[in-house]
Amino acid sequence: MTVVIGFEGSANKIGIGIIRDGEVLSNPRRTYITPPGQGFMPSDTARHHRAVILTVLKEALEQAGLKPADIDCVAYTKGPGMGAPLVTVALVARTVAQLWGKPLLGVNHCIGHIEMGRLITQANNPTVLYVSGGNTQVIAYSERRYRIFGETIDIAVGNCLDRFARVIKISNDPSPGYNIEQMAKKGSQYVELPYTVKGMDVSFSGILSYIEEVAHKMLSSGQCAAEDLCFSLQETLFSMLVEITERAMAHCGSQEVLIVGGVGCNLRLQEMMGVMCKERGAKLFATDERFCIDNGAMIAQAGWEMFRSGQVTELEDSWITQRYRTDEVEVTWRD
Amino acid sequence: MAAVEAETNHERGKLGFSLDVPFPSSLEASIALRSLSPDKEPRRGGISKQLSVSGSTLSVRWSADEARILRVSVNSFLVHLSLVIETMDMFGPAVSQ
């Protein structure tokens, strides 16, 4: 049996999870929630993580019913993400690894999402759509790499949603995306927005600028309701994502789609992807907010795979990195 | 030769700052050193930082172009140090290896 503890804190969530051979023993998490209209800044987010990380670590051990001696490896997020929060989490991971005499393992955050999605859904070799506040990529596995077939050329889809939420002061609790999703259900009028798929890639910054420009005018003149804007934005963004995912599937001859990342728990996105999959006779895999949204168990799971294939990270090589592409990692645990 | 020259330039006209942190034992001081060392100062930041352990004391020596940059670096180091010490208090002592 191999037990891995995973530390995640690359954005506004801090999570610590423990995995024993595919079984999630504990996965506590805290979210730094800012007032409506405000995003989360690196130094404030790091302060939030510092204030709660040791409590979360205690919870993770208690809920799993384990002692430090039962753990085989300490995994943490090496990147990508915001620098200050990443350092906070890495400091604690390095310190406990030394106190407990356990090997350390730096994990790519994106790989964490993919491996957690594969574990939970049992999807074997899916085309992966990874959508969150910081990342938007269509990924497929080939020859020991998770290869990026398409991605955003500017901001992430979740960042587009988050920043739209700030414009019309939608609450960030529990997340801006969740609240947009609920409001979109009450939308009836479709407002046409730019649609920007460029080959295999997508662009969201122009859509954001456009909706930022027109939102207040349309709302104050009564041309449409906030719910209509939420609905229209979701339909436009998600159509683009489904389009590039379908093209990647056709290219790879893939019959499976796995959606991971925080935006992946949006049920409307899952529904639209499901329609496309049904038309192609393909299967859709998705998870709920426990595992889609950043969490510690996903880092533990990727760490488990890496550790079992013989990888460890020496302390002097354990620096964090804000940029760390999914395809930089050699996948030593898959054929 | 180049290294010596660089070293000399490094000290001349620069702000210096030293910090000594006592730990209960050399083991704790070494753990703190290895936890705090991996993340380097930003390149081209006009600042350098050297960490070392002697006995049970962790020593840090800064050299910087500007007070403003020095303050940011020292401040963030102290914040990181506090977190490492807090972690040791809650999840230590270190197991014998």
Side-chain angles (χ1 to χ4, degrees), chain A residues 28-319:
Chain A
R29 170 172 68 196
R30 299 280 193 287
T31 306
Y32 173 51
I33 294 168
T34 48
Q38 288 179 29
F40 50 94
M41 303 298 281
S43 61
D44 301 330
T45 309
R47 188 177 307 125
H48 167 268
H49 290 4
R50 281 198 303 276
V52 299
I53 186 168
L54 298 179
T55 311
V56 177
L57 175 52
K58 215 162 155 246
E59 278 176 22
L61 289 167
E62 278 171 9
Q63 287 169 17
L66 294 183
K67 295 184 295 298
D70 303 323
I71 287 162
D72 296 299
C73 174
V74 177
Y76 70 98
T77 307
K78 184 177 181 66
M82 294 165 94
L86 281 170
V87 169
T88 301
V89 173
L91 283 169
V92 174
R94 285 175 201 139
T95 306
V96 296
Q98 293 184 82
L99 290 171
W100 302 341
K102 307 295 179 187
L104 191 65
L105 197 41
V107 172
N108 179 301
H109 179 87
C110 316
I111 302 283
H113 276 297
I114 297 170
E115 292 307 337
M116 198 64 195
R118 289 181 63 221
L119 172 71
I120 297 293
T121 66
Q122 295 293 304
N124 177 42
N125 185 24
T127 299
V128 181
L129 176 67
Y130 170 28
V131 276
S132 68
N135 293 280
T136 304
Q137 298 177 339
V138 180
I139 300 158
Y141 176 78
S142 168
E143 308 270 318
R144 305 224 136 188
R145 300 272 166 183
Y146 282 112
R147 309 209 180 246
I148 302 168
F149 277 71
E151 61 189 313
T152 178
I153 57 172
D154 40 61
I155 59 172
V157 62
N159 192 239
C160 184
L161 289 165
D162 292 355
R163 287 161 70 174
F164 165 70
R166 282 178 228 164
V167 171
I168 61 167
K169 299 271 165 57
I170 292 173
S171 165
N172 290 324
D173 187 7
S175 73
Y178 177 83
N179 292 324
I180 290 174
E181 182 182 356
Q182 305 319 310
M183 286 174 73
K185 290 177 187 167
K186 301 190 197 93
S188 52
Q189 183 196 340
Y190 179 73
V191 178
E192 196 156 329
L193 299 170
Y195 183 92
T196 39
V197 171
K198 303 181 186 261
M200 286 302 295
D201 295 329
V202 284
S203 161
F204 299 114
S205 68
I207 300 173
L208 177 65
S209 302
Y210 179 84
I211 204 164
E212 277 175 343
E213 175 86 18
V214 302
H216 289 299
K217 279 182 220 153
M218 292 186 82
L219 292 176
S220 57
S221 67
Q223 265 177 282
C224 70
E227 286 78 5
D228 298 326
L229 289 176
C230 292
F231 165 72
S232 307
L233 184 60
Q234 278 199 169
E235 296 300 302
T236 305
L237 300 181
F238 297 167
S239 302
M240 291 163 57
L241 296 172
V242 172
E243 182 187 331
I244 61 167
T245 306
E246 181 171 21
R247 198 172 296 126
M249 288 171 76
H251 188 79
C252 303
S254 165
Q255 291 297 314
E256 291 179 341
V257 176
L258 170 64
I259 310 179
V260 300
V263 180
C265 59
N266 186 300
L267 294 177
R268 179 58 186 152
L269 172 59
Q270 291 183 14
E271 185 186 358
M272 288 168 73
M273 194 66 78
V275 170
M276 181 273 282
C277 284
K278 204 169 167 205
E279 285 172 1
R280 297 183 61 88
K283 207 155 176 263
L284 171 66
F285 298 91
T287 62
D288 61 30
E289 87 294 338
R290 289 170 300 166
F291 304 114
C292 249
I293 296 172
D294 292 351
N295 63 90
M298 65 184 236
I299 301 303
Q301 175 59 17
W304 186 90
E305 295 280 13
M306 293 169 78
F307 184 66
R308 293 273 291 218
S309 72
Q311 295 195 49
V312 288
T313 303
E314 297 303 327
L315 275 161
E316 57 266 35
D317 301 325
S318 68
W319 33 270

Side-chain angles (χ1 to χ4, degrees), chain B residues 10-75:
Chain B
H10 195 68
E11 294 302 328
R12 192 189 307 144
K14 296 238 183 188
L15 284 82
F17 192 89
S18 312
L19 174 72
D20 290 331
V21 188
F23 279 88
S25 75
S26 62
L27 177 61
E28 273 105 342
S30 304
I31 290 175
L33 174 87
R34 285 192 294 264
S35 288
L36 292 161
S37 301
D39 298 303
K40 303 292 173 235
E41 292 292 325
R43 261 169 270 161
R44 294 167 9 121
I47 185 150
S48 69
K49 181 177 84 206
Q50 284 295 322
L51 282 80
S52 61
V53 164
S54 166
S56 60
T57 303
L58 170 70
S59 299
V60 195
R61 170 81 197 168
W62 280 267
S63 168
D65 292 334
E66 289 172 50
R68 181 179 55 88
I69 302 167
L70 180 64
R71 181 187 63 79
V72 172
S73 179
V74 173
N75 184 52

Side-chain angles (χ1 to χ4, degrees), chain A residues 8-24:
Chain A
E8 155 61 30
S10 58
N12 69 331
K13 267 78 68 179
I14 168 93
I16 302 175
I18 301 177
I19 293 242
R20 180 174 59 204
D21 297 343
E23 186 190 351
V24 180

